[in-house]
Amino acid sequence: MVVLVVIGIATAMVGLGVGAVGSAAHDLREDARRLAQLFPVAQAQARTSGQPIVWEYDEDGYSFRHLPRALVLPADMAMYGPVGRAGALNNAALRPRQWNAAGRMRVHVEPAGAEQFDGEWMPALMTVELSDGQTTVAVRRHGDGSYEVVP
């Protein structure tokens, strides 16, 4: 019985040690998985509202916001000021978030401008690379609108 307890304690210590070594890469993959879940939500929201949504990011976190609607007005109405406004979303899933990965996050999006979601049913291909300086993970959007996290 004592031998089994010692083996159990040793196994737990090894398991905790392995988890600590891979935690930075794990957090980066979690950020990528979250984006792969949020991007289709943003696309659906843009289709539903008819208003483009842009994904904005920096080294600390990211957020989604509406872009102003592009409306064409008669000249006599246009003089009363802007029609559309950029603004925050009322969708709780698309709320501003901080990166899980520690340190400064570097983000690279291909092609440039792919951070905008609109009413298109078949969105263009997109790759978002997340890097913490040591590990890089990519989120890829395929032609059918599905997303894949690539280590």
Side-chain angles (χ1 to χ4, degrees):
M1 186 69 129
V2 172
V3 172
L4 290 176
V5 170
V6 170
I7 290 173
I9 291 172
T11 303
M13 291 174 62
V14 168
L16 290 175
V18 169
V21 170
S23 65
H26 174 74
D27 288 346
L28 193 63
R29 280 190 63 75
E30 283 302 311
D31 284 328
R33 281 190 202 116
R34 182 181 298 156
L35 287 176
Q37 293 170 349
L38 292 176
F39 287 163
V41 173
Q43 185 73 43
Q45 179 77 27
R47 273 190 215 119
T48 302
S49 69
Q51 201 170 357
I53 294 176
V54 66
W55 175 57
E56 297 175 326
Y57 55 87
D58 61 20
E59 58 195 25
D60 298 320
Y62 56 92
S63 64
F64 295 86
R65 69 175 176 88
H66 277 293
L67 291 180
R69 292 181 191 210
L71 296 178
V72 178
L73 297 174
D76 59 338
M77 289 180 70
M79 68 181 178
Y80 293 110
V83 175
R85 288 187 329 162
L89 298 168
N90 292 329
N91 188 328
L94 300 176
R95 70 184 182 279
R97 298 175 192 258
Q98 298 295 317
W99 298 112
N100 284 334
R104 295 180 174 256
M105 178 70 72
R106 288 182 224 130
V107 180
H108 178 72
V109 180
E110 281 292 326
E115 302 93 339
Q116 182 173 325
F117 300 92
D118 53 24
E120 293 295 323
W121 283 98
M122 297 300 273
L125 302 177
M126 174 178 75
T127 301
V128 176
E129 289 183 353
L130 305 176
S131 176
D132 62 0
Q134 296 177 350
T135 307
T136 300
V137 177
V139 178
R140 291 196 179 127
R141 178 173 60 199
H142 301 287
D144 63 357
S146 65
Y147 290 85
E148 171 188 23
V149 176
V150 181

PDB file of all heavy atoms in Angstrom, residues 87-104:
ATOM      1  N   GLY A  87     -19.073  51.307 -33.628  1.00  0.00           N
ATOM      2  CA  GLY A  87     -19.435  51.125 -32.240  1.00  0.00           C
ATOM      3  C   GLY A  87     -19.203  49.724 -31.732  1.00  0.00           C
ATOM      4  O   GLY A  87     -18.919  48.807 -32.496  1.00  0.00           O
ATOM      5  N   ALA A  88     -19.320  49.594 -30.436  1.00  0.00           N
ATOM      6  CA  ALA A  88     -19.149  48.304 -29.781  1.00  0.00           C
ATOM      7  C   ALA A  88     -20.326  47.390 -30.128  1.00  0.00           C
ATOM      8  O   ALA A  88     -21.408  47.850 -30.466  1.00  0.00           O
ATOM      9  CB  ALA A  88     -19.050  48.493 -28.278  1.00  0.00           C
ATOM     10  N   LEU A  89     -20.090  46.107 -30.003  1.00  0.00           N
ATOM     11  CA  LEU A  89     -21.125  45.122 -30.285  1.00  0.00           C
ATOM     12  C   LEU A  89     -21.914  44.808 -29.027  1.00  0.00           C
ATOM     13  O   LEU A  89     -21.392  44.886 -27.913  1.00  0.00           O
ATOM     14  CB  LEU A  89     -20.482  43.839 -30.808  1.00  0.00           C
ATOM     15  CG  LEU A  89     -19.706  43.989 -32.112  1.00  0.00           C
ATOM     16  CD1 LEU A  89     -18.893  42.761 -32.382  1.00  0.00           C
ATOM     17  CD2 LEU A  89     -20.654  44.239 -33.247  1.00  0.00           C
ATOM     18  N   ASN A  90     -23.159  44.438 -29.201  1.00  0.00           N
ATOM     19  CA  ASN A  90     -23.984  44.028 -28.067  1.00  0.00           C
ATOM     20  C   ASN A  90     -23.934  42.523 -27.860  1.00  0.00           C
ATOM     21  O   ASN A  90     -24.696  41.986 -27.072  1.00  0.00           O
ATOM     22  CB  ASN A  90     -25.433  44.479 -28.284  1.00  0.00           C
ATOM     23  CG  ASN A  90     -25.563  45.979 -28.217  1.00  0.00           C
ATOM     24  OD1 ASN A  90     -24.807  46.630 -27.501  1.00  0.00           O
ATOM     25  ND2 ASN A  90     -26.505  46.519 -28.956  1.00  0.00           N
ATOM     26  N   ASN A  91     -23.068  41.837 -28.565  1.00  0.00           N
ATOM     27  CA  ASN A  91     -22.935  40.392 -28.474  1.00  0.00           C
ATOM     28  C   ASN A  91     -21.897  40.060 -27.399  1.00  0.00           C
ATOM     29  O   ASN A  91     -20.727  40.399 -27.533  1.00  0.00           O
ATOM     30  CB  ASN A  91     -22.510  39.849 -29.838  1.00  0.00           C
ATOM     31  CG  ASN A  91     -22.527  38.347 -29.886  1.00  0.00           C
ATOM     32  OD1 ASN A  91     -22.274  37.676 -28.898  1.00  0.00           O
ATOM     33  ND2 ASN A  91     -22.810  37.810 -31.056  1.00  0.00           N
ATOM     34  N   ALA A  92     -22.312  39.389 -26.337  1.00  0.00           N
ATOM     35  CA  ALA A  92     -21.405  39.080 -25.219  1.00  0.00           C
ATOM     36  C   ALA A  92     -20.246  38.181 -25.651  1.00  0.00           C
ATOM     37  O   ALA A  92     -19.152  38.278 -25.101  1.00  0.00           O
ATOM     38  CB  ALA A  92     -22.180  38.424 -24.086  1.00  0.00           C
ATOM     39  N   ALA A  93     -20.460  37.329 -26.644  1.00  0.00           N
ATOM     40  CA  ALA A  93     -19.379  36.449 -27.096  1.00  0.00           C
ATOM     41  C   ALA A  93     -18.245  37.243 -27.731  1.00  0.00           C
ATOM     42  O   ALA A  93     -17.090  36.840 -27.676  1.00  0.00           O
ATOM     43  CB  ALA A  93     -19.915  35.429 -28.087  1.00  0.00           C
ATOM     44  N   LEU A  94     -18.563  38.395 -28.316  1.00  0.00           N
ATOM     45  CA  LEU A  94     -17.564  39.196 -29.018  1.00  0.00           C
ATOM     46  C   LEU A  94     -17.044  40.356 -28.158  1.00  0.00           C
ATOM     47  O   LEU A  94     -16.560  41.351 -28.679  1.00  0.00           O
ATOM     48  CB  LEU A  94     -18.145  39.711 -30.331  1.00  0.00           C
ATOM     49  CG  LEU A  94     -18.585  38.625 -31.310  1.00  0.00           C
ATOM     50  CD1 LEU A  94     -19.225  39.246 -32.537  1.00  0.00           C
ATOM     51  CD2 LEU A  94     -17.432  37.731 -31.693  1.00  0.00           C
ATOM     52  N   ARG A  95     -17.104  40.210 -26.854  1.00  0.00           N
ATOM     53  CA  ARG A  95     -16.624  41.257 -25.946  1.00  0.00           C
ATOM     54  C   ARG A  95     -15.102  41.366 -26.010  1.00  0.00           C
ATOM     55  O   ARG A  95     -14.427  40.418 -26.432  1.00  0.00           O
ATOM     56  CB  ARG A  95     -17.063  40.951 -24.520  1.00  0.00           C
ATOM     57  CG  ARG A  95     -16.349  39.754 -23.919  1.00  0.00           C
ATOM     58  CD  ARG A  95     -16.886  39.410 -22.528  1.00  0.00           C
ATOM     59  NE  ARG A  95     -16.178  38.308 -21.952  1.00  0.00           N
ATOM     60  CZ  ARG A  95     -16.401  37.029 -22.216  1.00  0.00           C
ATOM     61  NH1 ARG A  95     -17.338  36.692 -23.076  1.00  0.00           N
ATOM     62  NH2 ARG A  95     -15.693  36.086 -21.634  1.00  0.00           N
ATOM     63  N   PRO A  96     -14.532  42.483 -25.621  1.00  0.00           N
ATOM     64  CA  PRO A  96     -13.068  42.621 -25.594  1.00  0.00           C
ATOM     65  C   PRO A  96     -12.452  41.584 -24.650  1.00  0.00           C
ATOM     66  O   PRO A  96     -13.016  41.261 -23.607  1.00  0.00           O
ATOM     67  CB  PRO A  96     -12.846  44.040 -25.059  1.00  0.00           C
ATOM     68  CG  PRO A  96     -14.108  44.761 -25.357  1.00  0.00           C
ATOM     69  CD  PRO A  96     -15.205  43.737 -25.252  1.00  0.00           C
ATOM     70  N   ARG A  97     -11.301  41.070 -25.041  1.00  0.00           N
ATOM     71  CA  ARG A  97     -10.616  40.032 -24.251  1.00  0.00           C
ATOM     72  C   ARG A  97      -9.120  40.297 -24.196  1.00  0.00           C
ATOM     73  O   ARG A  97      -8.566  40.928 -25.081  1.00  0.00           O
ATOM     74  CB  ARG A  97     -10.842  38.651 -24.875  1.00  0.00           C
ATOM     75  CG  ARG A  97     -12.285  38.232 -24.915  1.00  0.00           C
ATOM     76  CD  ARG A  97     -12.424  36.920 -25.665  1.00  0.00           C
ATOM     77  NE  ARG A  97     -13.790  36.625 -25.969  1.00  0.00           N
ATOM     78  CZ  ARG A  97     -14.536  35.762 -25.313  1.00  0.00           C
ATOM     79  NH1 ARG A  97     -14.036  35.113 -24.292  1.00  0.00           N
ATOM     80  NH2 ARG A  97     -15.778  35.542 -25.664  1.00  0.00           N
ATOM     81  N   GLN A  98      -8.506  39.750 -23.168  1.00  0.00           N
ATOM     82  CA  GLN A  98      -7.054  39.773 -23.030  1.00  0.00           C
ATOM     83  C   GLN A  98      -6.519  38.440 -23.563  1.00  0.00           C
ATOM     84  O   GLN A  98      -7.209  37.423 -23.534  1.00  0.00           O
ATOM     85  CB  GLN A  98      -6.649  39.924 -21.551  1.00  0.00           C
ATOM     86  CG  GLN A  98      -7.134  41.209 -20.917  1.00  0.00           C
ATOM     87  CD  GLN A  98      -6.481  42.424 -21.549  1.00  0.00           C
ATOM     88  OE1 GLN A  98      -5.293  42.430 -21.804  1.00  0.00           O
ATOM     89  NE2 GLN A  98      -7.280  43.443 -21.810  1.00  0.00           N
ATOM     90  N   TRP A  99      -5.288  38.450 -24.045  1.00  0.00           N
ATOM     91  CA  TRP A  99      -4.651  37.208 -24.469  1.00  0.00           C
ATOM     92  C   TRP A  99      -4.380  36.346 -23.247  1.00  0.00           C
ATOM     93  O   TRP A  99      -4.014  36.850 -22.185  1.00  0.00           O
ATOM     94  CB  TRP A  99      -3.336  37.486 -25.181  1.00  0.00           C
ATOM     95  CG  TRP A  99      -3.461  38.278 -26.443  1.00  0.00           C
ATOM     96  CD1 TRP A  99      -3.021  39.542 -26.652  1.00  0.00           C
ATOM     97  CD2 TRP A  99      -4.037  37.853 -27.682  1.00  0.00           C
ATOM     98  NE1 TRP A  99      -3.292  39.950 -27.936  1.00  0.00           N
ATOM     99  CE2 TRP A  99      -3.912  38.924 -28.594  1.00  0.00           C
ATOM    100  CE3 TRP A  99      -4.647  36.685 -28.115  1.00  0.00           C
ATOM    101  CZ2 TRP A  99      -4.371  38.848 -29.899  1.00  0.00           C
ATOM    102  CZ3 TRP A  99      -5.106  36.614 -29.417  1.00  0.00           C
ATOM    103  CH2 TRP A  99      -4.966  37.685 -30.292  1.00  0.00           C
ATOM    104  N   ASN A 100      -4.513  35.034 -23.373  1.00  0.00           N
ATOM    105  CA  ASN A 100      -4.156  34.103 -22.298  1.00  0.00           C
ATOM    106  C   ASN A 100      -2.649  33.952 -22.189  1.00  0.00           C
ATOM    107  O   ASN A 100      -2.120  33.793 -21.101  1.00  0.00           O
ATOM    108  CB  ASN A 100      -4.759  32.715 -22.553  1.00  0.00           C
ATOM    109  CG  ASN A 100      -6.231  32.672 -22.250  1.00  0.00           C
ATOM    110  OD1 ASN A 100      -6.736  33.442 -21.454  1.00  0.00           O
ATOM    111  ND2 ASN A 100      -6.925  31.769 -22.915  1.00  0.00           N
ATOM    112  N   ALA A 101      -1.991  33.959 -23.330  1.00  0.00           N
ATOM    113  CA  ALA A 101      -0.542  33.742 -23.359  1.00  0.00           C
ATOM    114  C   ALA A 101       0.169  34.903 -22.666  1.00  0.00           C
ATOM    115  O   ALA A 101      -0.169  36.062 -22.866  1.00  0.00           O
ATOM    116  CB  ALA A 101      -0.053  33.603 -24.799  1.00  0.00           C
ATOM    117  N   ALA A 102       1.146  34.565 -21.844  1.00  0.00           N
ATOM    118  CA  ALA A 102       1.909  35.587 -21.129  1.00  0.00           C
ATOM    119  C   ALA A 102       2.876  36.274 -22.091  1.00  0.00           C
ATOM    120  O   ALA A 102       3.268  35.722 -23.113  1.00  0.00           O
ATOM    121  CB  ALA A 102       2.679  34.944 -19.985  1.00  0.00           C
ATOM    122  N   GLY A 103       3.260  37.473 -21.769  1.00  0.00           N
ATOM    123  CA  GLY A 103       4.209  38.208 -22.602  1.00  0.00           C
ATOM    124  C   GLY A 103       3.510  38.971 -23.704  1.00  0.00           C
ATOM    125  O   GLY A 103       2.289  39.073 -23.753  1.00  0.00           O
ATOM    126  N   ARG A 104       4.306  39.489 -24.601  1.00  0.00           N
ATOM    127  CA  ARG A 104       3.769  40.299 -25.697  1.00  0.00           C
ATOM    128  C   ARG A 104       3.377  39.403 -26.866  1.00  0.00           C
ATOM    129  O   ARG A 104       4.201  38.678 -27.403  1.00  0.00           O
ATOM    130  CB  ARG A 104       4.801  41.324 -26.138  1.00  0.00           C
ATOM    131  CG  ARG A 104       5.090  42.328 -25.063  1.00  0.00           C
ATOM    132  CD  ARG A 104       6.115  43.332 -25.547  1.00  0.00           C
ATOM    133  NE  ARG A 104       6.285  44.365 -24.557  1.00  0.00           N
ATOM    134  CZ  ARG A 104       5.773  45.577 -24.659  1.00  0.00           C
ATOM    135  NH1 ARG A 104       5.080  45.916 -25.713  1.00  0.00           N
ATOM    136  NH2 ARG A 104       5.964  46.460 -23.717  1.00  0.00           N
TER     137      ARG A 104
END
